[in-house]
Amino acid sequence: TDKKKLHTAPVGQVFRLRPFHVLVATGGGYAGYRKYEDYKLEQLEKRGIEVPVKLASEWEVALYKSVPTRLLSRAWGRLNQVELPTWLRKPVYSLYIWTFGVNMKEAAVEDLHHYRNLSEFFRRKLKPQARPVCCVHSVISPSDGKILNFGQVKNCEVEQVKGVTYSLESFLGPRISTEEMHFSQAPPGNSFQQQLVTKEGNELYHCVIYLAPGDYHCFHSPTDWTVSHRRHFPGSLMSVNPGVARWIKELFCHNERVVLTGDWKHGFFSLTAVGATNVGSIRIYFDQDLHTNSPSYSKGSYNDFSFISNNNKEGIPMRKGEHLGEFNLGSTIVLIFEAPKDFRFNLKAGQKIRFGEALGSL
């Protein structure tokens, strides 16, 4: 009949699923389900209904980690760098502005055609008068965002949201050698928390600020201090929105983060930038050697870099309000610092805050 024969593969071969595909499909579907659950929780919170804490089990955390969030975040970072045609910029950015409630009237450049790609739009600068820095209070907010939690650190545990904690030592890593700090180390028999407190009568405080995708993406110095050390923890890039932070214990210890430590007039001071899904990178302006979200890393590893050297024995001095770094998208900043017992926060959990506004003072 001169008809060509059609050769078909066995049914089992056509529909063969590889373990990676199963993990991606299952993990992605579960992540979508969690997003829906987070949305329902947010609606309950807006109505003033207190939501009971329900922590994820080990298998749920493992399933979430199976989603290739690091790969997706790098892909998102590459996509952000693609230059958009001039005619497409306004529709794309307008959709983002409408979705996340961005206030472009605060931007130094309001013309949407000015931003060549999404990365430039995310990292847009603000008008100088848009964020006045509070001069009265000793610690200001380093960024725009939402206050997830704040208060004293107790029993070497820090609250990421109300009722959900993480280990202080797991988060910051082992104590930094005394050669890199300006103050003496506490006796070795003390707890990790007590070793960070350098002056008698002081306490250790913390504050967690969540940056949503629509927030201003740069962060600044929260006070006058000196940065002497940087510790980079490669890790997962799970979402850090309040719903997930309420669900996964020690979420911030699982995720990639950059810990800057040093001292201020009252002793120990640290600022940690925590990575999250679709955060292509964390950038610290004065640290050119820092490279985040690399293709591969060793689980539980970290790398240290000291800003104390023969030529620079003081470290990096930072003034309150000075530009410090930026995220490519929303994420979280955690402040952990030492202060006298009469230090008071001027905050409420869940409130919105803007860079330059007061966090607390003596």
Side-chain angles (χ1 to χ4, degrees):
T1 60
D2 294 330
K3 290 184 179 179
K4 294 182 179 179
K5 293 182 179 180
L6 179 63
H7 297 275
T8 59
V11 175
Q13 184 176 342
V14 173
F15 293 99
R16 184 172 58 190
L17 293 175
R18 296 180 181 178
F20 176 76
H21 297 154
V22 174
L23 285 173
V24 170
T26 307
Y30 192 75
Y33 165 75
R34 287 305 315 173
K35 286 286 186 182
Y36 174 68
E37 290 293 311
D38 295 340
Y39 171 77
K40 291 198 299 183
L41 291 176
E42 288 178 6
Q43 296 306 308
L44 291 174
E45 286 183 342
K46 288 180 180 178
R47 292 161 55 187
I49 301 174
E50 187 171 347
V51 181
V53 175
K54 183 181 179 182
L55 294 176
S57 62
E58 290 186 10
W59 72 266
E60 287 178 309
V61 176
L63 185 59
Y64 191 3
K65 282 186 172 182
S66 71
V67 180
T69 51
R70 292 180 65 84
L71 176 62
L72 293 172
S73 299
R74 284 195 300 275
W76 178 250
R78 295 281 182 87
L79 181 62
N80 289 348
Q81 300 294 332
V82 175
E83 185 169 340
L84 297 176
T86 305
W87 62 268
L88 189 58
R89 294 174 188 176
K90 189 171 182 178
V92 170
Y93 301 147
S94 295
L95 177 61
Y96 187 91
I97 290 168
W98 177 78
T99 303
F100 297 107
V102 179
N103 183 4
M104 284 302 294
K105 292 182 178 179
E106 297 177 332
V109 181
E110 297 184 39
D111 182 11
L112 298 180
H113 296 101
H114 169 80
Y115 303 99
R116 294 173 297 175
N117 52 48
L118 284 165
S119 181
E120 286 188 3
F121 179 72
F122 293 148
R123 295 181 288 108
R124 63 193 176 276
K125 303 301 181 184
L126 299 181
K127 294 173 182 175
Q129 67 274 19
R131 296 290 186 275
V133 176
C134 177
C135 299
V136 177
H137 295 269
S138 55
V139 183
I140 62 169
S141 176
S143 66
D144 289 6
K146 178 181 180 180
I147 302 296
L148 294 190
N149 214 298
F150 63 92
Q152 281 191 19
V153 177
K154 298 179 180 179
N155 301 320
C156 294
E157 291 282 322
V158 186
E159 281 194 315
Q160 58 191 30
V161 293
K162 185 177 180 180
V164 182
T165 63
Y166 55 92
S167 164
L168 179 64
E169 186 169 6
S170 297
F171 181 70
L172 295 178
R175 183 78 164 90
I176 300 165
S177 62
T178 55
E179 288 78 7
E180 299 182 31
M181 307 303 287
H182 293 193
F183 38 80
S184 60
Q185 190 174 22
N190 290 355
S191 68
F192 183 80
Q193 178 179 337
Q194 291 171 327
Q195 290 180 33
L196 295 180
V197 178
T198 61
K199 298 180 180 180
E200 187 176 352
N202 281 2
E203 297 287 348
L204 207 60
Y205 298 86
H206 74 99
C207 183
V208 184
I209 306 170
Y210 167 67
L211 288 75
D215 288 328
Y216 169 55
H217 289 20
C218 297
F219 51 93
H220 302 245
S221 175
T223 191
D224 295 336
W225 66 306
T226 301
V227 184
S228 56
H229 186 272
R230 179 258 291 161
R231 176 168 286 161
H232 173 217
F233 291 85
S236 301
L237 287 175
M238 295 183 283
S239 171
V240 292
N241 73 52
V244 177
R246 187 184 294 106
W247 179 53
I248 297 180
K249 183 179 173 64
E250 298 203 331
L251 171 65
F252 299 155
C253 297
H254 290 293
N255 272 16
E256 182 161 15
R257 59 199 182 277
V258 177
V259 183
L260 300 177
T261 54
D263 62 290
W264 69 319
K265 60 183 178 181
H266 299 296
F268 174 80
F269 199 97
S270 73
L271 180 149
T272 302
V274 183
T277 307
N278 287 343
V279 177
S281 65
I282 300 170
R283 182 183 174 194
I284 305 297
Y285 294 138
F286 58 75
D287 189 354
Q288 302 302 316
D289 295 320
L290 175 65
H291 300 286
T292 60
N293 197 8
S294 300
S296 61
Y297 70 97
S298 299
K299 185 178 180 181
S301 66
Y302 62 87
N303 57 77
D304 288 334
F305 185 86
S306 175
F307 298 109
I308 304 293
S309 63
N310 293 330
N311 297 327
N312 179 20
K313 297 184 179 181
E314 296 298 320
I316 308 295
M318 297 297 301
R319 302 293 296 175
K320 183 167 65 173
E322 185 177 351
H323 279 84
L324 183 54
E326 64 187 33
F327 295 108
N328 270 4
L329 201 61
S331 195
T332 297
I333 289 178
V334 179
L335 301 179
I336 298 175
F337 57 94
E338 174 185 358
K341 291 183 178 180
D342 57 350
F343 182 88
R344 294 292 181 270
F345 284 102
N346 301 302
L347 302 171
K348 292 181 180 179
Q351 78 171 72
K352 292 288 292 182
I353 197 166
R354 304 200 304 176
F355 156 61
E357 294 179 345
L359 287 184
S361 190
L362 297 171

